[in-house]
Amino acid sequence: MAEEKLISVIVPVYNIKEYLPRCVASITAQTYRSLEIILVDDGSTDGTGALCDELAASDSRIRVLHKENGGSSSARNLGIRQARGEYFGFVDSDDYISEDMYALLMEAVTAYDCPAAQVGRDEVAASGERLPDICVPPDTPVLIAAQDFMRELLMHRGDCSFCTKLMHRSLFLNRQFPEGVLNEDFHLLIQMLTEMKGIVSLPGRCYHVFYRPDSNTRSTQKSHFSRVYADNVDNADLAYALVQERWPLLIQTAERFGLYQRLDYLLHIPIEQMQPDNARYREICVNVHTNLSAGLKNPLLTKKNKIYLLLFAAAPKLTRKFHRLTMRLRGIEA
C-alpha cells in the first residue's frame, strides 16, 4: 500500500524562530502520516536550534540534526545522508504546505510508476499579498517527459524547485546539492532528468512560498550583486553540455538559455564591477560577442533580447548605464 512507504521530509533551518512553528505544523498535519521530519539546524545562533528540539518533543516523527553553519545545500545533504525514507521531500523553513500535499504526490508517483512528481506553488509577500505565479500548474495531472521538462526549464516556464516535489531516493544515489552556490535546485534537477522518464505534474497549488526580501536571492541593497547571476551562467553551461549529450533536439533552446542568462548577468552587474580585471565579467562579454550572430538568428530569443545582445556586444558599460537609467525612470532600482 502507498501509505506504507516512508517519506523523509528534510527542512534546513537557520535563525528562523518566527516562522519555523508554522512550517513544521503544516508538515505534521499532513493527511499522509508515514513521515519522518528531519530538521537540520545549520548552526543557528538565535535559539532556533533549541526550538527544533522542543518541536521534536511534540511529535515522535521529528528528528533534529545539529551542525555547524554551511548553508542550505549543506544542511539538505546531511538530511539526505541520514534519511530513512523511500521518498524524499524538501520544505524551506519559512514556507508551509497544504495538508494533502504529500498524499497527492505519493498517489501520483504510484499511479504513474514514476520516480518524481510535483505540485503547483504560490508566493505570498510579507504584507500578505499574493504574488504573480512563477509557474502555472496544469489543469489535470500529466506526465511530462524528461526532454519536455528540460525544454520548459530552459524556456523559464518550468519549476526546478525540489520543495514542490516528491523524489525517489534512488535519484540521489551518488548525487547531492552543490554547496556554496545559488540556484542549486536547477543544477541538481537537470542532471537527474537524464535518467528519468519524466515528472508527474499535478494541478493545484499545495506549496506556499513566504517571500522574505532578506533571503539569499532577494536582497534589496543597492550595492548588492547576488552571486546567483554568475551561478545561473554556470548552470546554463551545464545544461548545454547535458543537452548536447542527451537531447540534441534542444540545442537551439539551450543556446537561447545560455545567452539569456548572460544578458541577465550584464543587466544586473553594478557598473563599478564592469572592469577588465573582473574575469567573470570579461568572459561573459567575450561569449556574448562570439555568439552574437547565432543569437540574432535564434527564433527563441525575443526582439528585446536581440537588441540587448547587439548593445552589449558593442558597448557593455554604456548599455548597462542606459538600462539603469531607464529602470530608474520607471521607479525601479537597477
Side-chain angles (χ1 to χ4, degrees):
M1 296 294 291
E3 286 77 15
E4 296 175 346
K5 297 177 181 178
L6 180 66
I7 297 175
S8 297
V9 183
I10 299 167
V11 185
V13 175
Y14 178 71
N15 289 356
I16 197 75
K17 283 177 64 176
E18 182 179 356
Y19 304 109
L20 184 60
R22 178 182 66 180
C23 172
V24 173
S26 74
I27 303 173
T28 59
Q30 290 295 294
T31 57
Y32 190 92
R33 304 300 296 171
S34 185
L35 305 174
E36 70 163 351
I37 303 161
I38 304 176
L39 305 181
V40 186
D41 170 33
D42 190 36
S44 296
T45 58
D46 68 342
T48 296
L51 175 58
C52 288
D53 294 331
E54 292 175 19
L55 292 169
S58 67
D59 193 312
S60 62
R61 297 174 298 170
I62 300 176
R63 298 166 56 201
V64 181
L65 305 176
H66 297 283
K67 63 182 290 293
E68 293 183 0
N69 181 254
S72 177
S73 288
S74 173
R76 281 178 166 183
N77 290 335
L78 176 59
I80 290 169
R81 291 194 296 271
Q82 296 293 321
R84 304 171 184 142
E86 183 176 348
Y87 287 87
F88 296 162
F90 300 87
V91 179
D92 286 343
S93 54
D94 46 359
D95 301 335
Y96 57 99
I97 60 179
S98 298
E99 65 178 7
D100 58 349
M101 186 175 102
Y102 285 117
L104 292 171
L105 287 169
M106 182 59 79
E107 180 181 350
V109 296
T110 302
Y112 285 83
D113 189 26
C114 189
Q118 70 176 17
V119 295
R121 59 174 164 159
D122 54 29
E123 295 208 10
V124 181
S127 63
E129 175 190 5
R130 177 166 171 193
L131 301 173
D133 285 330
I134 294 178
C135 306
V136 179
D139 295 328
T140 58
V142 59
L143 174 59
I144 304 175
Q147 176 173 286
D148 295 332
F149 201 97
M150 185 67 161
R151 179 186 291 109
E152 291 302 291
L153 291 176
L154 296 179
M155 291 302 297
H156 295 92
R157 296 190 296 250
D159 181 9
C160 67
S161 173
F162 276 76
C163 290
T164 58
K165 295 174 178 60
L166 185 66
M167 314 284 286
H168 195 271
R169 69 175 300 128
S170 62
L171 294 170
F172 293 87
L173 186 63
N174 299 320
R175 287 202 179 103
Q176 64 177 11
F177 290 96
E179 299 182 15
V181 301
L182 297 176
N183 208 356
E184 63 275 18
D185 288 24
F186 181 95
H187 181 96
L188 183 57
L189 181 62
I190 61 175
Q191 295 179 71
M192 289 180 171
L193 282 173
T194 63
E195 59 185 53
M196 297 164 58
K197 68 177 182 180
I199 295 178
V200 182
S201 187
L202 300 179
R205 296 167 177 83
C206 295
Y207 191 90
H208 311 293
V209 178
F210 181 67
Y211 194 97
R212 289 190 301 127
D214 59 339
S215 67
N216 280 344
T217 58
R218 297 165 182 164
S219 174
T220 57
Q221 298 178 21
K222 294 180 181 180
S223 61
H224 180 74
F225 182 46
S226 172
R227 67 166 298 157
V228 73
Y229 297 105
D231 292 341
N232 284 345
V233 171
D234 290 338
N235 280 340
D237 291 343
L238 172 63
Y240 185 81
L242 293 176
V243 162
Q244 275 189 311
E245 179 181 343
R246 185 72 173 81
W247 303 294
L249 291 177
L250 297 182
I251 287 290
Q252 193 172 65
T253 311
E255 290 173 345
R256 173 259 177 204
F257 186 71
L259 285 170
Y260 185 100
Q261 297 304 109
R262 285 173 167 83
L263 282 178
D264 202 34
Y265 176 99
L266 292 170
L267 288 168
H268 288 89
I269 183 173
I271 292 172
E272 58 270 19
Q273 295 186 30
M274 302 176 77
Q275 302 297 333
D277 61 351
N278 184 334
R280 173 47 64 95
Y281 162 70
R282 190 173 64 250
E283 176 275 324
I284 287 175
C285 287
V286 169
N287 186 283
V288 166
H289 192 274
T290 301
N291 292 286
L292 176 61
S293 178
L296 295 177
K297 297 175 184 176
N298 193 314
L300 301 176
L301 285 167
T302 66
K303 182 178 180 180
K304 183 178 179 181
N305 294 155
K306 294 176 181 180
I307 290 172
Y308 269 115
L309 276 178
L310 278 168
L311 293 174
F312 274 117
K317 188 175 290 189
L318 184 62
T319 301
R320 178 66 179 92
K321 289 179 180 180
F322 170 76
H323 175 70
R324 182 174 65 177
L325 176 61
T326 58
M327 290 296 99
R328 287 180 175 176
L329 290 175
R330 293 167 55 190
I332 303 172
E333 189 62 43

